[in-house]
Amino acid sequence: MGWRRAAISGVGVSRQGKLPDETPNSLAAEAFVAALDDAGLRRENVDGLLTMPGTKSPEGAKHYLALGEQLGINPRITGSLSMGGATAGVLIQQAALAIDAGMASTVACVFGDTAKTGGSRFNAAAGTDTDSWGIWGMFGNAANSAFGAQRHMARYGTTSEQLGWVAVTMREHAALNPDAIMRERITLDDHQSSRMIVDPLHLLDCCIISDGAVAVIVTSPERARDARSAPVDIWGMGQGHTLEKLGRPDWWYLPHQADCVSDAYRMAGVSPADIDVAQLYDNFTISVLFWLEHAGFCAPGEAGPFVEGGKRIRLGGDLPVNTAGGNLSESYMQGWLHVVEGVRQLRGECGPRQVDGARLCLVTGRGMTLNTASCLILGGTA
Amino acid sequence: MSDGGFVRPVRTEVNRGFWEGVDDGVLRVQRCLGCGELRYPPASRCPRCLDAEWTWQPVSGRGEVLSYVVVHQRYHPAWSDRVPYNVVLVQLDEGPRLISNVLPLSGADLRVGMAVRVVFDDEDGVRVPRFVSTDGTDGATEPN
């Protein structure tokens, strides 16, 4: 069952946090070396390089050139892509398709950033160059998600306290992850009393900002079975994008997220009930609620009650979510660490935060002005 | 756009009719001559039928608040001394949606579904469309 024509054979994570002596590409190289080691590969085995430039990468769409030179790779396939939090999933999908088509055998997908040291504020105004939303004071990523949160609250009775349970639960998980940046437990009162950023989103509804890098090695299932670490197969993949913003009345509700997950379910031949653990993109707490609804774990409008008290989404619950702490508490690697945690859960490597018997993991990503979404369904073989 | 100052609209061949309408106190959107679709933001072709011909169509300026936020974070120098201020997503009665504000900017009395009507506000010498609530009125009378 499942597509399973490509697999993840290695994951590598650089140091995370504030790393003022590093560059996006020095961190990316650190993660790449760690991923090679995890897979038991040599650099010469890698014949594909797909990259995501960091917010502080100067190269933009030519990022693959600089990183490939740094890593000494002359690949059969390469390129760079900027789709925000959806990029990790999309690049892994491109790698999987290239491998299935025989265009490459082992592809490294790499992201590195110095957003913390570089002072990335994620405060750009959306809209067009000439009709900027900044004319009306609409800046930054939080405001877009806050529009969605406000409307979800008005339509379905969702509350700020319910969003707070997402923050509290992700922090509980991070407390069990020695590599997480924010490990000190928080309470619902801490969430409620944290300062307002863009009402209805408080500070503790927002992800952290970090320096760091992640690399993921994608190869054929056959090659993955020779790797040092247990292989994780790609069962299903999907994308969905709403590139119009004001042009779509339901842009705020991100309908493309449902499209991308349903494609992945169909390809994997599974349903929400089959998923053992989920890594749901959490740039803001509200995003977890949207994903729970779009991925079919609850009906539209019911994600507020679903997350209340944290019982169902915490370790030991019906659907453990973001078991490493997510963007909210582990580190803000724009969804790349969600893939890494999915792989580690399916290998059974997660120690005190391990989900017993985890066999299938849903991983989602989403980016830009709510526009892009990607989904992977990963299956363990351990 | 400028560094530090008010983010100014940049007039182009495509959006000039919108901003000239605003100067004259009329809210206008593009109407596609191919399919009749009303559209905003201004674009050189219709996103529905891809036709490149359009005309400027005055709209009522009435609509409802689809969603709103209140910005507390100081994201931009021109707005830093105005926090907290609201930003709204308005659904015009005629169909198009736009980003704007409800006056007063610091007003906390907003709700999703609130009826609003366009007004024209001066911002550093530039006229910009903003909205006022018409909840509880027929919207026919001027505020203030």
Coordinates of all heavy atoms in Angstrom, one line a residue, chain A residues 88-163:
Chain A
A88 N 9.7 22.8 2.0 CA 10.4 21.6 2.3 C 9.6 20.4 1.6 O 10.2 19.6 1.0 CB 10.4 21.4 3.8
G89 N 8.3 20.4 1.8 CA 7.5 19.4 1.2 C 7.6 19.4 -0.3 O 7.7 18.3 -0.9
V90 N 7.5 20.5 -0.9 CA 7.5 20.6 -2.4 C 8.9 20.1 -2.9 O 8.9 19.4 -3.9 CB 7.2 22.0 -2.9 CG1 7.4 22.2 -4.4 CG2 5.8 22.4 -2.5
L91 N 10.0 20.5 -2.3 CA 11.3 20.1 -2.8 C 11.5 18.6 -2.6 O 12.0 17.9 -3.5 CB 12.4 20.8 -2.0 CG 12.6 22.3 -2.4 CD1 13.8 22.9 -1.7 CD2 12.8 22.5 -3.9
I92 N 11.0 18.0 -1.5 CA 11.1 16.6 -1.3 C 10.2 15.9 -2.4 O 10.6 14.8 -2.9 CB 10.7 16.2 0.1 CG1 11.8 16.7 1.1 CG2 10.4 14.7 0.3 CD1 11.4 16.7 2.6
Q93 N 9.1 16.5 -2.7 CA 8.3 15.9 -3.8 C 9.0 15.9 -5.1 O 9.0 14.9 -5.9 CB 7.0 16.6 -3.9 CG 6.1 16.4 -2.6 CD 4.9 17.3 -2.6 OE1 4.5 17.9 -3.7 NE2 4.2 17.4 -1.5
Q94 N 9.7 17.0 -5.4 CA 10.4 17.1 -6.7 C 11.5 16.1 -6.7 O 11.8 15.5 -7.7 CB 11.0 18.6 -6.8 CG 9.9 19.6 -7.1 CD 10.4 21.0 -7.4 OE1 11.6 21.2 -7.4 NE2 9.6 21.9 -7.6
A95 N 12.2 15.9 -5.6 CA 13.3 15.0 -5.5 C 12.7 13.6 -5.7 O 13.3 12.8 -6.5 CB 13.9 15.0 -4.1
A96 N 11.6 13.3 -5.1 CA 11.0 11.9 -5.2 C 10.6 11.6 -6.7 O 10.8 10.5 -7.2 CB 9.7 11.8 -4.3
L97 N 10.0 12.6 -7.3 CA 9.6 12.5 -8.7 C 10.8 12.3 -9.6 O 10.8 11.4 -10.6 CB 8.8 13.7 -9.2 CG 7.4 13.8 -8.5 CD1 6.8 15.1 -8.9 CD2 6.5 12.7 -8.7
A98 N 11.9 13.0 -9.4 CA 13.1 12.9 -10.2 C 13.7 11.5 -10.0 O 14.2 10.9 -11.0 CB 14.1 14.0 -9.8
I99 N 13.7 11.0 -8.8 CA 14.2 9.7 -8.5 C 13.4 8.6 -9.2 O 13.9 7.7 -9.8 CB 14.3 9.5 -7.0 CG1 15.5 10.3 -6.4 CG2 14.5 8.0 -6.6 CD1 15.3 10.6 -5.0
D100 N 12.1 8.8 -9.1 CA 11.2 7.8 -9.7 C 11.3 7.8 -11.2 O 11.2 6.8 -11.9 CB 9.7 8.1 -9.3 CG 8.8 7.1 -9.8 OD1 9.1 5.8 -9.6 OD2 7.7 7.4 -10.3
A101 N 11.7 9.0 -11.8 CA 11.8 9.1 -13.2 C 13.2 8.7 -13.7 O 13.5 8.7 -14.9 CB 11.5 10.5 -13.7
G102 N 14.1 8.4 -12.8 CA 15.4 8.0 -13.1 C 16.4 9.1 -13.4 O 17.5 8.9 -14.0
M103 N 15.9 10.3 -13.1 CA 16.8 11.5 -13.4 C 17.8 11.8 -12.4 O 18.7 12.6 -12.6 CB 15.9 12.7 -13.6 CG 15.0 12.7 -14.8 SD 14.0 14.1 -15.0 CE 15.2 15.4 -15.4
A104 N 17.7 11.2 -11.2 CA 18.7 11.3 -10.1 C 18.5 10.1 -9.2 O 17.5 9.4 -9.3 CB 18.5 12.6 -9.3
S105 N 19.6 9.8 -8.5 CA 19.5 8.6 -7.6 C 19.4 9.0 -6.1 O 18.7 8.3 -5.4 CB 20.7 7.7 -7.8 OG 21.9 8.3 -7.4
T106 N 20.0 10.1 -5.8 CA 20.1 10.5 -4.4 C 20.1 12.0 -4.3 O 21.1 12.6 -4.8 CB 21.3 9.9 -3.6 OG1 21.3 8.5 -3.7 CG2 21.3 10.3 -2.2
V107 N 19.1 12.6 -3.8 CA 18.9 14.1 -3.9 C 19.0 14.6 -2.4 O 18.2 14.2 -1.5 CB 17.6 14.5 -4.5 CG1 17.4 16.0 -4.6 CG2 17.5 13.8 -5.9
A108 N 19.8 15.6 -2.3 CA 19.8 16.4 -1.0 C 18.9 17.6 -1.1 O 19.1 18.4 -2.0 CB 21.3 16.8 -0.7
C109 N 18.0 17.7 -0.2 CA 17.1 18.9 -0.1 C 17.6 19.7 1.1 O 17.6 19.2 2.2 CB 15.7 18.5 0.0 SG 15.1 17.5 -1.3
V110 N 17.9 21.0 0.9 CA 18.7 21.7 2.0 C 18.1 23.1 2.2 O 17.8 23.8 1.2 CB 20.2 21.8 1.6 CG1 21.0 22.3 2.8 CG2 20.7 20.5 1.2
F111 N 18.0 23.5 3.4 CA 17.6 24.9 3.8 C 18.5 25.4 4.9 O 18.8 24.6 5.9 CB 16.2 24.9 4.3 CG 15.7 26.1 5.0 CD1 15.6 27.3 4.3 CD2 15.5 26.1 6.4 CE1 15.2 28.5 5.0 CE2 15.1 27.3 7.1 CZ 15.0 28.5 6.4
G112 N 18.9 26.6 4.8 CA 19.7 27.2 6.0 C 19.4 28.7 6.1 O 19.1 29.3 5.1
D113 N 19.3 29.2 7.3 CA 19.0 30.6 7.5 C 19.6 31.2 8.7 O 20.0 30.4 9.6 CB 17.5 30.8 7.5 CG 17.0 32.2 7.2 OD1 17.8 33.0 6.8 OD2 15.8 32.5 7.4
T114 N 19.8 32.5 8.7 CA 20.3 33.2 9.9 C 19.3 34.3 10.2 O 19.6 35.4 10.4 CB 21.7 33.8 9.7 OG1 21.7 34.6 8.5 CG2 22.8 32.8 9.6
A115 N 18.0 33.9 10.3 CA 16.9 34.8 10.5 C 17.0 35.5 11.8 O 16.7 36.7 12.0 CB 15.6 34.1 10.3
K116 N 17.5 34.8 12.8 CA 17.6 35.3 14.2 C 18.7 36.4 14.2 O 18.4 37.6 14.6 CB 17.9 34.2 15.2 CG 18.0 34.7 16.6 CD 16.6 35.1 17.2 CE 16.7 35.4 18.7 NZ 15.4 35.9 19.2
T117 N 19.9 36.0 13.9 CA 21.0 36.9 13.9 C 20.8 38.1 12.9 O 21.1 39.2 13.2 CB 22.3 36.2 13.6 OG1 22.6 35.2 14.6 CG2 23.5 37.1 13.4
G118 N 20.3 37.7 11.8 CA 20.1 38.7 10.7 C 18.9 39.7 11.0 O 18.7 40.6 10.2
G119 N 18.1 39.3 12.0 CA 17.0 40.3 12.3 C 15.8 40.2 11.4 O 15.2 41.2 11.2
S120 N 15.6 39.1 10.7 CA 14.4 39.0 9.9 C 13.2 39.2 10.7 O 13.0 38.6 11.7 CB 14.3 37.6 9.2 OG 15.4 37.4 8.4
R121 N 12.3 40.1 10.2 CA 11.2 40.5 11.0 C 9.9 40.0 10.4 O 8.8 40.2 11.0 CB 11.1 42.0 11.2 CG 12.3 42.6 12.0 CD 12.2 44.1 12.2 NE 11.0 44.4 13.0 CZ 10.3 45.4 12.9 NH1 10.5 46.3 11.9 NH2 9.2 45.6 13.7
F122 N 9.9 39.4 9.3 CA 8.7 38.9 8.7 C 7.6 39.9 8.7 O 6.5 39.7 9.1 CB 8.3 37.6 9.4 CG 9.4 36.5 9.3 CD1 10.4 36.4 10.3 CD2 9.5 35.7 8.2 CE1 11.4 35.5 10.2 CE2 10.5 34.7 8.1 CZ 11.4 34.6 9.1
N123 N 8.0 41.1 8.3 CA 7.1 42.3 8.3 C 6.7 42.9 7.0 O 6.3 44.0 6.9 CB 7.7 43.4 9.2 CG 9.0 43.9 8.7 OD1 9.6 43.3 7.8 ND2 9.4 45.0 9.2
A124 N 7.0 42.1 5.9 CA 6.7 42.7 4.6 C 5.2 42.9 4.4 O 4.4 42.1 4.9 CB 7.3 41.7 3.5
A125 N 4.9 43.9 3.6 CA 3.5 44.1 3.2 C 3.2 43.2 2.0 O 3.9 43.1 1.1 CB 3.2 45.6 2.9
A126 N 2.0 42.6 2.0 CA 1.5 41.9 0.9 C 0.9 42.8 -0.1 O 0.9 44.1 0.1 CB 0.5 40.8 1.3
G127 N 0.2 42.3 -1.1 CA -0.4 43.1 -2.1 C 0.6 43.2 -3.3 O 1.5 42.5 -3.4
T128 N 0.2 44.1 -4.2 CA 1.1 44.2 -5.4 C 2.1 45.3 -5.1 O 2.0 46.1 -4.1 CB 0.3 44.6 -6.6 OG1 -0.3 45.9 -6.4 CG2 -0.8 43.6 -6.9
D129 N 3.1 45.5 -6.0 CA 4.1 46.5 -5.8 C 3.5 47.9 -5.7 O 4.0 48.7 -5.0 CB 5.2 46.5 -6.9 CG 6.0 45.2 -6.9 OD1 6.1 44.6 -5.8 OD2 6.7 44.9 -7.9
T130 N 2.5 48.1 -6.5 CA 1.9 49.4 -6.6 C 0.8 49.6 -5.6 O 0.5 50.7 -5.2 CB 1.5 49.7 -8.0 OG1 0.6 48.6 -8.5 CG2 2.7 49.8 -9.0
D131 N 0.0 48.6 -5.4 CA -1.1 48.7 -4.5 C -0.8 47.9 -3.2 O -1.5 46.9 -2.9 CB -2.4 48.1 -5.1 CG -2.7 49.0 -6.3 OD1 -2.2 48.7 -7.5 OD2 -3.5 49.9 -6.2
S132 N 0.3 48.3 -2.5 CA 0.7 47.6 -1.3 C -0.3 47.6 -0.2 O -1.0 48.7 0.0 CB 2.0 48.2 -0.8 OG 2.3 47.8 0.5
W133 N -0.5 46.5 0.5 CA -1.4 46.6 1.6 C -0.8 47.4 2.7 O -1.6 47.8 3.7 CB -1.6 45.1 2.2 CG -2.4 44.2 1.2 CD1 -2.8 44.6 -0.1 CD2 -2.7 42.9 1.4 NE1 -3.5 43.5 -0.6 CE2 -3.4 42.5 0.2 CE3 -2.6 42.0 2.4 CZ2 -3.9 41.2 0.1 CZ3 -3.1 40.7 2.3 CH2 -3.7 40.3 1.1
G134 N 0.4 47.8 2.6 CA 1.0 48.7 3.6 C 0.4 50.1 3.6 O 0.5 50.8 4.6
I135 N -0.3 50.5 2.5 CA -1.0 51.7 2.5 C -2.0 51.8 3.6 O -2.2 52.8 4.2 CB -1.8 51.9 1.1 CG1 -0.7 52.0 0.0 CG2 -2.7 53.1 1.1 CD1 -1.3 51.8 -1.4
W136 N -2.5 50.6 4.0 CA -3.5 50.6 5.1 C -2.9 50.0 6.4 O -3.6 49.5 7.2 CB -4.7 49.8 4.6 CG -5.4 50.5 3.5 CD1 -6.3 51.5 3.6 CD2 -5.3 50.3 2.1 NE1 -6.7 52.0 2.4 CE2 -6.1 51.2 1.4 CE3 -4.6 49.3 1.3 CZ2 -6.2 51.3 0.0 CZ3 -4.7 49.4 0.0 CH2 -5.5 50.4 -0.7
G137 N -1.6 49.9 6.4 CA -0.9 49.5 7.7 C -0.9 48.0 7.8 O -0.7 47.5 8.9
M138 N -1.2 47.2 6.7 CA -1.2 45.8 6.8 C 0.2 45.2 6.5 O 0.6 45.2 5.3 CB -2.2 45.2 5.8 CG -2.3 43.7 5.7 SD -3.4 43.0 7.0 CE -3.4 41.3 6.4
F139 N 0.9 44.9 7.5 CA 2.3 44.4 7.4 C 2.4 43.0 8.0 O 1.8 42.7 9.1 CB 3.3 45.3 8.1 CG 3.3 46.7 7.5 CD1 2.6 47.7 8.1 CD2 3.9 47.0 6.3 CE1 2.6 49.0 7.6 CE2 3.9 48.3 5.8 CZ 3.2 49.3 6.5
G140 N 3.3 42.2 7.5 CA 3.7 41.0 8.2 C 2.9 39.8 8.1 O 1.7 39.8 7.7
N141 N 3.5 38.7 8.5 CA 2.9 37.4 8.4 C 1.8 37.2 9.4 O 0.8 36.5 9.2 CB 3.9 36.3 8.5 CG 5.0 36.4 7.5 OD1 5.1 37.4 6.8 ND2 5.8 35.3 7.3
A142 N 1.9 37.7 10.6 CA 0.9 37.5 11.7 C -0.4 38.0 11.3 O -1.5 37.4 11.5 CB 1.4 38.2 13.0
A143 N -0.5 39.2 10.6 CA -1.8 39.8 10.2 C -2.6 38.9 9.3 O -3.8 38.8 9.4 CB -1.5 41.2 9.6
N144 N -1.9 38.2 8.4 CA -2.7 37.4 7.5 C -3.3 36.2 8.2 O -4.5 35.9 8.0 CB -1.7 36.8 6.4 CG -1.0 37.8 5.6 OD1 -1.6 38.8 5.2 ND2 0.3 37.7 5.4
S145 N -2.6 35.6 9.1 CA -3.1 34.5 9.9 C -4.2 35.0 10.9 O -5.1 34.3 11.2 CB -2.0 33.7 10.6 OG -1.3 33.0 9.7
A146 N -4.0 36.2 11.4 CA -4.9 36.8 12.3 C -6.3 37.1 11.6 O -7.3 36.9 12.3 CB -4.4 38.1 12.9
F147 N -6.3 37.4 10.3 CA -7.5 37.5 9.6 C -8.3 36.2 9.6 O -9.5 36.2 9.9 CB -7.3 37.9 8.1 CG -7.3 39.4 7.8 CD1 -6.5 39.8 6.8 CD2 -8.1 40.2 8.5 CE1 -6.5 41.2 6.4 CE2 -8.1 41.6 8.1 CZ -7.3 42.1 7.1
G148 N -7.6 35.1 9.4 CA -8.2 33.8 9.4 C -8.7 33.5 10.8 O -9.8 32.9 10.9
A149 N -7.9 33.8 11.8 CA -8.2 33.4 13.2 C -9.5 34.2 13.6 O -10.4 33.6 14.1 CB -7.1 33.8 14.1
Q150 N -9.5 35.5 13.2 CA -10.7 36.3 13.6 C -12.0 35.8 13.0 O -13.0 35.7 13.6 CB -10.5 37.8 13.2 CG -11.4 38.8 13.7 CD -11.2 39.1 15.1 OE1 -11.8 38.6 16.1 NE2 -10.2 40.0 15.3
R151 N -11.9 35.4 11.7 CA -13.1 34.9 11.0 C -13.5 33.5 11.6 O -14.7 33.3 11.7 CB -12.9 34.9 9.5 CG -14.2 34.6 8.8 CD -14.2 35.3 7.4 NE -15.4 34.8 6.7 CZ -16.6 35.4 6.8 NH1 -16.8 36.5 7.4 NH2 -17.7 34.9 6.2
H152 N -12.5 32.7 11.8 CA -12.8 31.4 12.4 C -13.5 31.6 13.8 O -14.5 30.9 14.1 CB -11.5 30.6 12.6 CG -11.7 29.1 12.7 ND1 -11.9 28.5 13.9 CD2 -11.7 28.2 11.7 CE1 -12.0 27.2 13.6 NE2 -11.9 26.9 12.3
M153 N -13.0 32.5 14.5 CA -13.7 32.8 15.8 C -15.1 33.2 15.7 O -16.0 32.8 16.4 CB -12.9 33.9 16.6 CG -11.5 33.4 17.1 SD -10.5 34.7 17.7 CE -9.3 33.8 18.6
A154 N -15.3 34.1 14.7 CA -16.7 34.7 14.5 C -17.6 33.6 14.0 O -18.8 33.6 14.4 CB -16.6 35.9 13.6
R155 N -17.1 32.8 13.1 CA -18.0 31.8 12.5 C -18.3 30.6 13.4 O -19.4 30.0 13.4 CB -17.4 31.3 11.2 CG -17.6 32.3 10.0 CD -17.3 31.6 8.7 NE -18.3 30.6 8.4 CZ -18.3 30.1 7.1 NH1 -17.5 30.5 6.2 NH2 -19.2 29.2 6.9
Y156 N -17.3 30.2 14.1 CA -17.4 28.9 14.8 C -17.3 29.0 16.3 O -17.3 28.0 17.0 CB -16.3 28.0 14.3 CG -16.3 27.7 12.8 CD1 -15.2 28.0 12.0 CD2 -17.5 27.2 12.2 CE1 -15.3 27.8 10.6 CE2 -17.5 26.9 10.8 CZ -16.4 27.3 10.0 OH -16.5 27.0 8.7
G157 N -17.1 30.2 16.9 CA -16.9 30.3 18.3 C -15.6 29.9 18.9 O -15.5 29.7 20.1
T158 N -14.6 29.8 18.0 CA -13.3 29.5 18.4 C -12.7 30.6 19.4 O -13.0 31.7 19.1 CB -12.4 29.3 17.2 OG1 -13.0 28.4 16.3 CG2 -11.0 28.9 17.6
T159 N -12.0 30.2 20.4 CA -11.5 31.2 21.4 C -10.0 31.3 21.4 O -9.3 30.4 21.0 CB -12.0 30.8 22.8 OG1 -11.3 29.6 23.2 CG2 -13.5 30.6 22.8
S160 N -9.6 32.4 21.9 CA -8.1 32.6 22.1 C -7.6 31.6 23.1 O -6.4 31.1 22.9 CB -7.9 34.0 22.7 OG -6.5 34.2 23.0
E161 N -8.4 31.2 24.1 CA -7.9 30.1 25.0 C -7.6 28.8 24.3 O -6.7 28.1 24.6 CB -8.9 29.9 26.1 CG -9.0 31.0 27.2 CD -9.8 32.2 26.7 OE1 -10.4 32.2 25.6 OE2 -10.0 33.2 27.5
Q162 N -8.5 28.5 23.3 CA -8.3 27.3 22.5 C -7.0 27.4 21.8 O -6.2 26.4 21.7 CB -9.5 27.0 21.6 CG -10.7 26.6 22.4 CD -12.0 26.6 21.6 OE1 -12.1 27.3 20.6 NE2 -13.0 25.9 22.0
L163 N -6.7 28.5 21.2 CA -5.4 28.7 20.5 C -4.3 28.5 21.5 O -3.2 27.9 21.2 CB -5.3 30.1 19.9 CG -6.3 30.5 18.8 CD1 -5.9 31.8 18.2 CD2 -6.4 29.4 17.7

